[in-house]
Amino acid sequence: MTENATSTPLSQYSAEDLAAFLAEQQSAHAALVAAPSSLNLTRGKPSSAQLDLSNALLDGPDGFVTADGTDTRNYGGLTGITELREIFAHLLGVPTAQLIAGGNSSLAMMQSQLVNLLLHGGVDSPRPWAQEEKVTFICPVPGYDRHFALTASLGIDMVTVPMLDDGPDVDAIEALVKDDPSVKGMWLVPTYANPTGAVCTQEVAARLAAMPTAAPDFTIFWDNAYALHHLTADEAKSADIVSLCAASGHPNRAVVFASTSKITFAGAGVAFLASSQANVDLYVRHLGMSTIGPDKVNQLRHAQFFGDAQGVRDHMVKHAEILAPKFAAVQRILGDRLGAFDVATWSDPKGGYFVNLDVVDGTATRVVALAKAAGIALTPAGASFPHGDDPRDRNIRLAPSVPPLAEVEQAMEAVATCVLLAAAEKYSR
Ligand SMILES: Cc1ncc(COP(=O)(O)O)c(C=O)c1O
């Protein structure tokens, strides 16, 4: 039986049809193994063609003095230069005074914020978090592996909630935070989430901002890494979590993070943190213990490169032109190859860097191993869960941004074969 000959779910095949199907997939996989490729769908980073879009940065800045007369070559200016803060404050929908521009990594800012809370506590903390008996973080899953690794590295417990199409499962979150003061915070990638592509709606954001929490210093780490990373003209608008929190009487609840890592250079961009004025002031006080000021030369060349907020938006359209065909290829091949068999579901993101693939329960690890044998590197199964533990062993994160389109297509054809083979093996047992 060929792959597209039927729309009967694979799980309902007769023993005879299943045996034939299994043999067919085994031989397709054997052919891949016999002529292995060297393809990689693990890397959620810009391709060289995307990085080339920002090469003009390497010629900048033009001069070195900012509009307010700051010599960017010198020490100082902990909050970052005003002209760049203005551009990104506008794009992220926060007042310029409440946004700081830092070094190249927003993840580093997240780590600093978390360590500060542990060692010193926050604006609303009765004591440093490290002095609490236990600290727990809510982790929407699947989610960003580095959030979870950072949390684990600091000895913080993690409790998962499902990431739904409209954001994290807010009913589950409300129940967790209501009575347990050890639940101190949560992670969220609100726009084009890593890896599902989900966008947190205004309604869900408003409930997160307003919900009663037993911990007075409950903190939402609002990692808006993909706020501007649209793949289509149907652009998601991020909820204004800082204003929602302020309006709900919890002004210090949310801390927003973003960066130009996937706008200009992933290794030489600029990262941003935004929150209430009190939170920003406290962050900057602690920041002054570790640095005398950020790389303002880089900030100035970024400000000149973009010109204004529209300059950033125009630049992101060029990224989308490179990325969208790769994401379309993933959708087309998954649909063509797997659609008829009911062996997988996958996200169709309108932005961001990933496609979330859920295969038959108990087969994700096997799919990744089968792909590896065919020369295709996939992110380890379970990577998008705390401690790498996907209880259903079904989740695989696909990252199609780096390989050229032809390689994305070749890799996805092979991945589809691996998904079918693993499913057929499971149903044959
Ligand atoms: C959700 C999310 N946040 C943060 C980062 C890293 O950000 P930065 O490069 O600013 O440290 C990534 C990188 O993949 C990401 O996916």
Side-chain angles (χ1 to χ4, degrees):
M1 194 168 298
T2 60
E3 287 169 16
N4 290 314
T6 177
S7 57
T8 308
L10 190 65
S11 58
Q12 287 169 31
Y13 275 29
S14 67
E16 195 186 327
D17 284 347
L18 188 57
F21 186 88
L22 176 63
E24 195 180 314
Q25 301 312 321
Q26 282 168 333
S27 100
H29 184 256
L32 293 171
V33 173
S37 11
S38 176
L39 302 171
N40 191 320
L41 290 177
T42 68
R43 295 166 300 186
K45 59 186 189 180
S47 63
S48 300
Q50 290 177 263
L51 295 170
D52 285 345
L53 296 173
S54 303
N55 280 348
L57 270 176
L58 298 172
D59 301 326
D62 181 9
F64 44 79
V65 180
T66 64
D68 67 4
T70 302
D71 184 333
T72 56
R73 300 168 306 173
N74 219 329
Y75 272 142
L78 267 179
T79 54
I81 68 166
T82 306
E83 39 268 73
L84 189 66
R85 291 167 65 205
E86 280 171 352
I87 293 173
F88 278 85
H90 181 85
L91 291 165
L92 295 169
V94 293
T96 304
Q98 289 173 227
L99 173 136
I100 69 168
N104 77 303
S105 167
S106 63
L107 190 61
M109 289 172 135
M110 294 175 222
Q111 190 202 33
S112 296
Q113 176 68 14
L114 199 46
V115 169
N116 291 343
L117 287 164
L118 284 164
L119 292 181
H120 308 289
V123 172
D124 298 320
S125 299
R127 64 193 73 83
W129 289 8
Q131 288 175 18
E132 304 285 354
E133 225 163 82
K134 187 169 128 178
V135 177
T136 306
F137 251 58
I138 298 171
C139 300
V141 291
Y144 179 35
D145 50 353
R146 289 181 191 272
H147 286 162
F148 306 152
L150 167 59
T151 315
S153 78
L154 295 170
I156 296 172
D157 283 358
M158 289 179 272
V159 56
T160 61
V161 297
M163 188 70 179
L164 306 175
D165 288 344
D166 60 352
D169 183 341
V170 67
D171 290 335
I173 294 171
E174 285 172 346
L176 284 167
V177 298
K178 191 161 55 78
D179 301 316
D180 183 351
S182 88
V183 181
K184 286 287 201 185
M186 64 174 285
W187 291 108
L188 185 59
V189 183
T191 314
Y192 306 132
N194 175 352
T196 70
V199 177
C200 180
T201 60
Q202 180 74 17
E203 293 69 32
V204 169
R207 282 177 65 184
L208 294 173
M211 64 191 180
T213 61
D217 50 356
F218 181 83
T219 303
I220 302 170
F221 280 64
W222 183 270
D223 178 3
N224 216 347
Y226 301 106
L228 308 168
H229 303 56
H230 316 290
L231 285 168
T232 74
D234 179 17
E235 298 187 354
K237 187 166 164 24
S238 303
D240 175 3
I241 192 68
V242 174
S243 297
L244 287 170
C245 286
S248 306
H250 308 122
N252 305 312
R253 179 172 288 183
V255 184
V256 174
F257 303 90
S259 76
T260 71
S261 289
K262 291 170 183 121
I263 297 176
T264 56
F265 296 149
V270 182
F272 304 96
L273 177 148
S275 190
S276 65
Q277 195 64 59
N279 271 353
V280 168
D281 291 348
L282 183 58
Y283 182 87
V284 171
R285 258 207 322 278
H286 294 308
L287 183 65
M289 300 300 115
S290 70
T291 180
I292 306 169
D295 180 348
K296 297 181 296 302
V297 174
N298 192 32
Q299 294 184 358
L300 181 60
R301 63 183 182 166
H302 272 78
Q304 291 174 350
F305 176 69
F306 294 129
D308 55 19
Q310 190 55 41
V312 180
R313 291 193 195 98
D314 293 344
H315 186 72
M316 294 314 289
V317 171
K318 297 180 195 156
H319 280 284
E321 282 166 3
I322 296 172
L323 286 169
K326 299 181 185 183
F327 279 80
V330 173
Q331 295 301 316
R332 176 172 46 78
I333 293 166
L334 288 173
D336 287 354
R337 295 287 309 282
L338 304 181
F341 300 103
D342 198 18
V343 290
T345 56
W346 55 90
S347 61
D348 183 6
K350 302 293 177 250
Y353 265 64
F354 302 99
V355 175
N356 186 67
L357 175 64
D358 284 327
V359 295
V360 172
D361 280 33
T363 67
T365 304
R366 177 70 178 148
V367 170
V368 173
L370 288 168
K372 186 172 178 205
I376 308 217
L378 295 180
T379 304
S384 300
F385 288 73
H387 308 296
D389 179 21
D390 170 8
R392 294 176 64 175
D393 187 25
R394 67 167 182 164
N395 187 257
I396 297 172
R397 186 185 77 183
L398 302 172
S401 61
V402 173
L405 178 59
E407 290 187 12
V408 172
E409 290 171 338
Q410 195 190 344
M412 286 309 304
E413 291 286 354
V415 168
T417 298
C418 297
V419 171
L420 292 170
L421 174 53
E425 286 174 349
K426 167 148 181 187
Y427 293 140
S428 304
R429 271 184 229 131

